[in-house]
Amino acid sequence: MTLFDGIRARLVETDRLGVNVLERVGDDEATAPDQTVVFVHGSVASSLLWQEIMQDLPSDLRVLAVDLRGFGRTEHSPIDATRGVRDFSDDLFAALHALGAADAHLVGWALGGAVVLQYALEHPVRSLTLQAPVSPYGFGGTRRDGSRVNDEDAGVGAGTANPDFVQRLIDHDTSADAPTSPRSVFRSTYVAPGYESEHEDVWVEAMLSTSTAGGNYPGDVVATSTWPGFAPGTTGVLNTLAPKYFDVSGIVDLERKPAILWIRGTADAVVSDASFSDPHHLGALGVIPDWPGADVAPAQPMVSQTRDVLDAYAAAGGAVTEVAVEGAGHSVHLERPAQFRRALLEHIGYVGRPADPAPPTEAIILRSAD
């Protein structure tokens, strides 16, 4: 595990499993939850991808990043996908409760966005930041109103994972020799064209920490006669987001509504109204043959669904801020770190309010990428 300056890892033992957590050297464990920020990564990733932003946040905050089950150095126990993402959110609560940070500010990226929304349905939180979150209705197989395209959820779940990509995860392939290598996938889908980083090897290391053991990534697949021929099974990461198992649109009805920041890149190829990870969209493009048409297999309008649910959340009294970062892809915190940091600090109330006591003066160094 490659750790940056000032970052350390610890294994938090809970009654569920051992959870790996990154924290900053020198952060005060007695820091109040309203000054604590917790980062939750997405699929085929780990806490390592949060290290730059962890370094850049003010020193009087407590900053944590958690590895989800089956990623990084957290235990690789099988995932019950029929619970949606509750295995992940229950693990997260157990770890944060042990750390005294159960009601902190939560930041979730992609799959992590689904996890923190599920968490907020069941536990109080200070605020939610959703970076490129999956739709509140899951990933694939729903119409704009959240209704399921078919009862099987055909075209959703573990069957969407490219088998060669999975094999290259198993082989710990660090090359860019094929479009299905983790490094090539990072360059083509995690970030927009033009992104470069001296830490790319670490980002690939994070991807390669993904467990492909039974019940982890991607999960089991069920054959079906409904196009495109597969449906989600009952275990594994990708099946947790099948609409038959996952729906967090009930966030609208929360009595105590945490403020939500929704930040996304306008060039995101993964979470989009025309996602290149959605077989229904690929069928419309002719990439997957024999597409039965938009009436039977429409592409999922992911961004529009999220906006509809968050608009309803705001109408019901919740505070919502949307930040669309022009030209950024799936990883705004890597691609536009200064903009991401500013939006987060404003959202949690660190910027724009008087602090008591006032934080010490400090310089925040901006990298050339900013």
Side-chain angles (χ1 to χ4, degrees):
M1 173 177 276
T2 303
L3 298 178
F4 293 0
D5 290 345
I7 307 294
R8 65 186 176 193
R10 79 155 99 168
L11 188 67
V12 178
E13 295 290 352
T14 76
D15 59 0
R16 294 179 57 79
L17 77 173
V19 177
N20 186 64
V21 178
L22 298 190
E23 58 189 356
R24 300 189 303 188
V25 175
D27 279 5
D28 186 353
E29 294 184 20
T31 300
D34 66 350
Q35 291 287 95
T36 301
V37 180
V38 179
F39 293 100
V40 184
H41 63 80
S43 183
V44 193
S46 83
S47 57
L48 294 180
L49 282 148
W50 292 114
Q51 291 186 95
E52 286 184 325
I53 191 67
M54 291 177 72
Q55 289 179 316
D56 286 351
L57 290 178
S59 62
D60 57 325
L61 295 175
R62 184 186 186 194
V63 183
L64 306 168
V66 178
D67 281 337
L68 296 175
R69 176 184 300 212
F71 299 97
R73 288 192 172 178
T74 289
E75 258 183 76
H76 297 176
S77 299
I79 298 159
D80 181 357
T82 67
R83 302 187 70 231
V85 298
R86 288 180 179 87
D87 275 358
F88 293 132
S89 62
D90 288 351
D91 294 344
L92 179 63
F93 176 76
L96 295 185
H97 179 73
L99 291 166
D103 58 341
H105 300 281
L106 300 186
V107 181
W109 172 29
L111 168 65
V115 173
V116 301
L117 282 168
Q118 184 66 56
Y119 187 108
L121 283 171
E122 298 165 359
H123 309 287
V125 297
R126 299 288 164 164
S127 73
L128 295 172
T129 296
L130 309 175
Q131 177 184 235
V134 300
S135 163
Y137 302 112
F139 198 97
T142 57
R143 300 178 180 86
R144 181 157 178 173
D145 64 359
S147 60
R148 291 162 59 197
V149 171
N150 57 68
D151 292 339
E152 298 169 286
D153 287 351
V156 173
T160 63
N162 185 297
D164 191 58
F165 172 66
V166 176
Q167 186 59 51
R168 289 172 184 272
L169 289 175
I170 294 169
D171 295 341
H172 281 253
D173 178 9
T174 61
S175 75
D177 295 341
T180 50
S181 75
R183 189 178 299 273
S184 296
V185 169
F186 174 83
R187 293 174 179 176
S188 63
T189 62
Y190 283 49
V191 293
Y195 170 82
E196 294 182 357
S197 171
E198 62 180 318
H199 301 304
E200 185 179 81
D201 287 347
V202 182
W203 310 154
V204 174
E205 176 187 340
M207 297 175 71
L208 293 174
S209 74
T210 301
S211 173
T212 54
N216 284 269
Y217 183 86
D220 58 329
V221 180
V222 174
T224 175
S225 60
T226 304
W227 186 92
F230 65 85
T234 60
T235 65
V237 175
L238 296 186
N239 294 330
T240 66
L241 296 174
K244 67 167 71 176
Y245 305 137
F246 175 83
D247 183 343
V248 291
S249 61
I251 196 81
V252 170
D253 299 320
L254 274 182
E255 182 175 350
R256 177 184 173 185
K257 292 180 169 63
I260 294 177
L261 167 64
W262 175 28
I263 185 165
R264 62 186 181 85
T266 62
D268 191 340
V270 180
V271 176
S272 166
D273 283 1
S275 170
F276 288 99
S277 297
D278 180 359
H280 293 155
H281 177 59
L282 295 178
L285 295 177
V287 176
I288 299 177
D290 302 321
W291 180 58
D295 290 341
V296 176
Q300 182 190 18
M302 304 176 187
V303 172
S304 295
Q305 288 176 331
T306 297
R307 182 172 292 110
D308 290 347
V309 170
L310 293 184
D311 282 350
Y313 186 84
V320 177
T321 301
E322 178 181 351
V323 177
V325 181
E326 191 65 34
H330 191 55
S331 311
V332 174
H333 72 288
L334 297 179
E335 300 171 73
R336 303 287 194 277
Q339 192 167 349
F340 180 89
R341 179 176 55 244
R342 177 76 187 191
L344 175 60
L345 291 176
E346 289 180 349
H347 178 57
I348 67 173
Y350 188 90
V351 173
R353 69 169 187 190
D356 184 19
T361 301
E362 66 175 297
I364 296 179
I365 306 301
L366 303 184
R367 295 178 301 281
S368 60
D370 293 348

